Amino acid sequence: QVQLVESGGGLVQTGGSLRLSCAASGLTFSSSAMGWFRQAPGKEREFVAAINWSGGITNYADSVKGRFTISRDNAKNTVYLQMNNLKPEDPAVYYCNVLRSWPRNALHAWGQGTLVTVSS
């Protein structure tokens, strides 16, 4: 059974930074493309960033390019999302998932996510 546990969310001021983590189990992590997604209140869940199995290829939503960086540590079965220069439009619950197809189609049921709040 695949488990995805997100952490690292919190309250940060506009322009601040956060680093999210997603610990994965129950899958062959090192051969899985992974993605981050987010869902703001009243909005549909949207793609944020993707990373291929080796970490050599990444893809970002236009809204986060240049500010967010996705990375992974296959030895720890963990994928990260470094978020810099957070903006008022970034608050949401952030989720990770295995990608069914590149770069933005998720495969598994969603975990609990981690909440990011940005104050002005």
Side-chain angles (χ1 to χ4, degrees):
Q1 181 179 355
V2 174
Q3 281 198 316
L4 302 165
V5 180
E6 302 92 345
S7 62
L11 173 64
V12 64
Q13 288 189 329
T14 299
S17 298
L18 281 174
R19 188 195 196 200
L20 307 184
S21 298
C22 170
S25 60
L27 73 162
T28 307
F29 181 81
S30 59
S31 63
S32 301
M34 300 293 296
W36 282 98
F37 302 78
R38 67 186 181 186
Q39 187 169 22
K43 295 187 177 181
E44 291 189 353
R45 187 175 284 119
E46 64 177 1
F47 166 77
V48 175
I51 189 166
N52 79 326
W53 66 273
S54 69
I57 301 173
T58 57
N59 187 279
Y60 296 93
D62 288 343
S63 59
V64 306
K65 277 182 184 176
R67 300 188 297 121
F68 290 10
T69 303
I70 188 171
S71 62
R72 65 190 295 157
D73 185 338
N74 286 345
K76 296 182 178 179
N77 283 13
T78 301
V79 61
Y80 304 98
L81 186 68
Q82 177 67 44
M83 306 186 297
N84 297 330
N85 190 22
L86 282 159
K87 297 182 177 181
E89 57 264 36
D90 293 322
V93 179
Y94 283 70
Y95 304 87
C96 69
N97 211 314
V98 180
L99 295 182
R100 178 178 58 188
S101 61
W102 184 263
R104 56 189 66 195
N105 291 306
L107 178 62
H108 294 293
W110 300 100
Q112 85 286 351
T114 186
L115 178 64
V116 172
T117 306
V118 180
S119 65
S120 56

